[in-house]
Amino acid sequence: LGYELHMPAYLLLTIYESLERVGADYGLRDFGGYAFNSMRMEKMYRAWGSEFTEEISGAEAGMERFIDTSRDFIGVEAVKRRLAEGGRIKLAYLACDEDVACECFGNEAIYQGDELVGLTTGGAYGHRVGYSLAFAYIRPELVAQDTALQVMTSAGMRQAHVEMNAVYDPGNERLRA
């Protein structure tokens, strides 16, 4: 439409209450943003603005199977180049090895020994699996099952390892049930 609609902050409560009242007949209800993030992390679902950005392509994000470079689209040549070169970073899925729940909000340092090897994009405690999870961009050669790493979290330095599959429902069977 060519214009943006801005909602004044003082109307937020009124609009919320109206949505709640009208939406009840349709099953509309509140959901927890932290729970949503926890579940996406357990299922290894990547998110726009965290794992995908305008600077990070599907090649770095480990989404090659969804990229059809035989089609013509804006940026296809750049994506082909990134796929061919392999890139300097690759997305890793990390599982913390300790029982201490620790949040990663993004940009936490990832170490292998004393060497800085990457940064997190975010993370959450996986309530269904019982440990913390994070996504991080690290050196491609480190993205392998069980690679030991350390994450500087809000709860201090934590031991972690790379997982190559989702830690909860890796075959997406519950989604299709």
Side-chain angles (χ1 to χ4, degrees):
L1 296 171
Y3 63 90
E4 291 182 38
L5 180 62
H6 295 281
M7 184 182 328
Y10 69 88
L11 289 178
L12 289 177
L13 183 58
T14 302
I15 292 169
Y16 170 80
E17 289 171 345
S18 296
L19 285 171
E20 187 179 45
R21 183 176 54 348
V22 173
D25 293 340
Y26 300 96
L28 184 68
R29 60 187 180 155
D30 291 330
F31 73 94
Y34 281 104
F36 186 79
N37 191 46
S38 173
M39 289 185 284
R40 91 168 176 95
M41 292 300 302
E42 290 175 324
K43 297 277 288 172
M44 199 178 175
Y45 288 174
R46 296 145 178 95
W48 174 255
S50 296
E51 290 75 48
F52 300 111
T53 68
E54 293 174 355
E55 294 83 24
I56 302 290
S57 77
E60 291 93 357
M63 301 299 288
E64 297 91 337
R65 69 181 183 271
F66 297 110
I67 303 172
D68 182 2
T69 57
S70 69
R71 295 180 47 208
D72 185 32
F73 58 87
I74 296 171
V76 70
E77 293 306 317
V79 171
K80 285 180 183 179
R81 206 169 33 255
R82 284 185 174 190
L83 286 169
E85 294 169 357
R88 295 185 333 231
I89 58 171
K90 189 159 182 90
L91 188 66
Y93 181 54
L94 307 179
C96 289
D97 298 327
E98 302 174 16
D99 291 337
V100 177
C102 53
E103 287 289 326
C104 288
F105 301 100
N107 292 319
E108 286 87 2
I110 305 293
Y111 292 92
Q112 187 176 47
D114 292 333
E115 184 180 2
L116 177 65
V117 296
L119 296 171
T120 67
T121 61
Y125 182 78
H127 292 276
R128 293 178 290 193
V129 296
Y131 48 87
S132 295
L133 302 160
F135 278 118
Y137 278 101
I138 62 175
R139 295 195 327 247
E141 64 271 16
L142 298 176
V143 182
Q145 182 66 41
D146 296 325
T147 299
L149 300 167
Q150 299 81 43
V151 184
M152 179 53 81
T153 72
S154 58
M157 190 69 83
R158 297 290 174 239
Q159 300 299 314
H161 68 276
V162 174
E163 285 286 343
M164 297 306 290
N165 295 300
V167 296
Y168 179 80
D169 188 28
N172 249 351
E173 293 163 13
R174 293 185 57 93
L175 183 65
R176 295 181 180 102

